[in-house]
Amino acid sequence: MTAAAAAAAGLVCASCKQAAPPPQNAAPSVSVARVRREDLAKIVPLPAEFRPYVEVELHAKVSGYLDKMNVDFGDRVHAGQLLATIEVPELRDELNNALAVEQRAEADFTNAHLMYDRLLAVNQSHPNLVAQQDIDTASAKDLAAQAAVGAAKADAGKYETLVGYTRITAPFDGVVTRRYVDPGALVEAGTATENTRPLLEISDNYRLRLDFFVSVEYVKDIRVGDTVNGVIVSMDNKPFSGKITRASLKVNQDTRTMDTEVEVANPDLSLMPGMYVDLSLPVERRPNALSIPIQAAPPGQMATVYVVNSQNEIEERPVKLGMETPDRFEVVSGLKEGELVLNGSRSLFMPGEKVTPKVIEALPQD
């Protein structure tokens, strides 16, 4: 055989090998998933809104003219910081008068007390020299003078307190969110009955409350300490996660919802009151439940699934399904942990058909 003929024969043989048909009895490959145990929960979408942890409007306790305003809206303040002062000249005069009355009362008491002590000393050294009536009168004057000193001190303390009210200070660390008046404006003392104008509004935005309202259908599933997730809408759907801090434990009769709250630390003030969060609230929890992908079974409490048995044959199995989550079904009965179920369209296969299972493991949902 020539070299050319041998080469041609080799090409023919190679071509024959490439064109060899596959075995007619090869079992088709199918996508399957294992029946597994995991914690399941129904996810309910809920709107939520941030609000300040504490928020107050500061009113004047005395009437007068606003002398100085040391802050404006947007300013950060700390507890005890001087925010504004009110000018009330007559209060200072009243205080000075009360202090003068206190000094006079103390002088009268000193004099009355000395007189009483002297009479007692004389009576002890020379009995019956001083009439008992004079001693009793001196004692009464001494007690009256002592009481006058107490009343004068109380009166002076009252005016000192009122003068202190002319200094408006921050009750806590926070942010000035509104300013209502300017220097020179007449401000009225705030009372419970008058609709007086406040001076400032202060909010503690270093901590926020995320408020949401849970339907009466799901209040039984709310537990303090449970984690809720969501996205902050106005921050390009930034992921959010927090733990339920408190719930009112009462259903509002008008809305049939329960007030629920997540406390959120906000040291950099990046979050602001009024921002919305789309929450995903887990309810109706099923811990350590058997589950399969939703693609493995048609919806409905009673259904059938295709199981790939130990002989790699498809077996149709009736099952009872429970809770449905976005990607899993709870299996109440009909399957065991570790069994393989067809994960996809069942129209291409028939019970009893031989297949080659290819396990697709999905990650458990948080």
Side-chain angles (χ1 to χ4, degrees), residues 116 131-141:
Y116 177 56
Q132 186 62 41
Q133 180 64 37
D134 293 339
I135 296 176
D136 294 340
T137 301
S139 176
K141 289 181 178 181

Side-chain angles (χ1 to χ4, degrees), residues 92-133:
R92 182 63 62 180
D93 294 338
E94 293 286 355
L95 175 59
N96 292 335
N97 181 68
L99 291 174
V101 171
E102 180 185 351
Q103 290 178 347
R104 184 170 63 247
E106 288 178 345
D108 291 343
F109 170 65
T110 300
N111 184 53
H113 192 65
L114 286 174
M115 181 63 70
Y116 177 56
D117 286 345
R118 287 170 182 167
L119 288 177
L120 283 180
V122 171
N123 188 54
Q124 289 177 358
S125 58
H126 300 85
N128 301 322
L129 182 62
V130 180
Q132 186 62 41
Q133 180 64 37

Side-chain angles (χ1 to χ4, degrees), residues 245-294:
T245 308
R246 56 185 64 87
S248 66
L249 303 182
K250 178 183 178 182
V251 175
N252 186 295
Q253 296 299 314
D254 297 326
T255 62
R256 305 302 296 166
T257 59
M258 180 178 71
D259 296 355
T260 313
E261 182 177 284
V262 174
E263 193 173 307
V264 181
N266 188 34
D268 59 355
L269 300 181
S270 59
L271 303 176
M272 299 181 190
M275 284 183 170
Y276 286 102
V277 178
D278 286 339
L279 284 182
S280 299
L281 183 69
V283 296
E284 298 182 7
R285 295 173 177 81
R286 301 287 193 275
N288 200 33
L290 279 179
S291 71
I292 58 175
I294 57 174

